[in-house]
Amino acid sequence: MPDGVGQEWQTRMQSLHPDPKARYSSVFGALRHISQTEGFWRPVRGISVTVMGAGPAHAMYFTCYEKLKKTLNKILECEGNSHLANGIAGSTATLLHDAVMNPAEVVKQRLQMYNSPHFSVLKCIRTIWRKEGIRAFYRSYTTQLTMNIPFQSIHFIIYEFLQEQINPQRGYNPLSHILAGGMAGAVAAAATTPLDVCKTLLNTQENKALSLAKVSGHLSGMANAFRTVYRVSGISGYFKGMKARIIYQIPSTALSWSVYEFFKYFLSKHERERNTPCPSRQF
């Protein structure tokens, strides 16, 4: 899913003007270098704040998606699945999900930047709150939505389409959920990388990049972020970290869908068994 756990290498590779010591030529090279020079656990810094927000955010996300998808399919009177209904349901669920996850994403990315002055989640939260106020936690919210709404629309439409092709009976099939989830995540990630680069810039407020673009104060707004990326790195800047983003999203979305489909199958099966009357005993 769009929120990440320990995506240090992706955050660093999306930096528009990285420190010379934090320039990486490949995803695995970045992981190896970070682990060797900054410690084995450095690549997963910020994981705790993401985990705290992920539970309630994903609960609201999938609940809203399933309920709205069924409602819209009835309204549209579609047999099976409507791609329009799937896209709208996924986009609406994203509004709730990102309201919870955006502050966590800000803290996580501040912790992950090279030479970050923050060494703990609580210290990072207090520093941001004191110096920038509560608005800093939602400075990239509109950009996050601008990225995640198309991401989720593409993601859900492709997932449901692939399920129709490789699992037409729509039964519980772990392999089909993993394959469809991974492929849907990869396509959606590639298509929305430019928006993710802008979101990372808004979250991290990268000093060197803002200085090169002659931006004073704090950068805010999607349009300003797009202009700043272009000024600093040109067209290629919009695709920084795309390979890292795809590599992260494939297992992430595959795992999310397989876990979700398993519990959906398990709970529905349990509900059916509970509602099935037991046969009367014969004496």
Side-chain angles (χ1 to χ4, degrees):
M1 295 300 164
D3 51 279
V5 177
Q7 295 164 270
E8 176 123 7
W9 35 281
Q10 181 184 319
T11 300
R12 300 251 188 121
M13 294 186 80
Q14 286 183 335
S15 175
L16 297 179
H17 192 74
D19 187 283
K21 295 180 181 178
R23 290 178 179 170
Y24 315 108
S25 58
S26 68
V27 175
F28 297 107
L31 277 172
R32 185 173 60 253
H33 184 76
I34 292 170
S35 298
Q36 289 175 348
T37 59
E38 302 176 52
F40 181 77
W41 296 108
R42 188 63 171 86
V44 294
R45 177 181 280 191
I47 189 173
S48 58
V49 69
T50 306
V51 170
M52 285 188 287
H58 280 75
M60 290 190 295
Y61 179 76
F62 281 115
T63 301
C64 177
Y65 172 70
E66 279 295 330
K67 181 66 176 177
L68 195 54
K69 182 179 74 170
K70 291 178 181 177
T71 302
L72 289 172
N73 273 309
K74 288 180 181 177
I75 293 173
L76 296 171
E77 297 181 346
C78 291
E79 294 182 5
N81 279 304
S82 162
H83 294 315
L84 177 61
N86 297 334
I88 294 173
S91 300
T92 306
T94 301
L95 295 172
L96 298 175
H97 175 275
D98 285 0
V100 176
M101 289 305 299
N102 203 84
E105 186 77 1
V106 172
V107 175
K108 184 198 73 175
Q109 291 195 314
R110 295 286 180 101
L111 287 166
Q112 291 177 344
M113 289 300 292
Y114 181 73
N115 275 342
S116 171
H118 311 291
F119 296 99
S120 71
V121 171
L122 290 178
K123 181 182 177 182
C124 183
I125 293 172
R126 284 196 296 266
T127 302
I128 295 172
W129 183 285
R130 187 176 66 254
K131 292 185 176 180
E132 302 175 51
I134 193 170
R135 290 184 63 184
F137 294 103
Y138 285 95
R139 188 178 287 128
S140 64
Y141 183 57
T142 53
T143 304
Q144 182 97 338
L145 290 177
T146 306
M147 177 188 74
N148 282 348
I149 287 176
F151 177 97
Q152 294 299 0
S153 297
I154 296 168
H155 177 208
F156 280 108
I157 289 171
I158 292 178
Y159 177 79
E160 297 287 356
F161 171 77
L162 290 174
Q163 281 293 292
E164 289 173 0
Q165 305 306 309
I166 61 180
N167 184 21
Q169 301 302 317
R170 301 310 298 266
Y172 175 61
N173 185 329
L175 182 58
S176 75
H177 304 319
I178 290 171
L179 290 174
M183 292 174 67
V187 174
T192 56
T193 295
L195 297 168
D196 194 46
V197 171
C198 294
K199 181 209 71 175
T200 298
L201 179 60
L202 288 170
N203 278 345
T204 60
Q205 297 291 306
E206 191 182 341
N207 291 328
K208 290 185 178 180
L210 298 186
S211 297
L212 283 173
K214 298 180 180 179
V215 175
S216 58
H218 298 296
L219 182 69
S220 62
M222 172 72 126
N224 290 330
F226 260 97
R227 282 194 291 268
T228 302
V229 172
Y230 184 75
R231 286 175 190 168
V232 175
S233 299
I235 294 295
S236 63
Y238 295 116
F239 299 95
K240 281 182 173 285
M242 184 170 72
K243 188 182 294 185
R245 181 166 161 78
I246 292 171
I247 290 173
Y248 167 76
Q249 286 294 344
I250 289 174
S252 174
T253 50
L255 182 62
S256 293
W257 277 112
S258 58
V259 172
Y260 167 69
E261 293 284 6
F262 168 75
F263 279 103
K264 180 180 172 183
Y265 163 76
F266 176 80
L267 293 173
S268 60
K269 181 182 177 183
H270 179 72
E271 184 69 18
R272 286 195 303 271
E273 290 175 350
R274 192 176 66 176
N275 293 332
T276 301
C278 296
S280 57
R281 293 184 178 180
Q282 299 294 327
F283 292 97

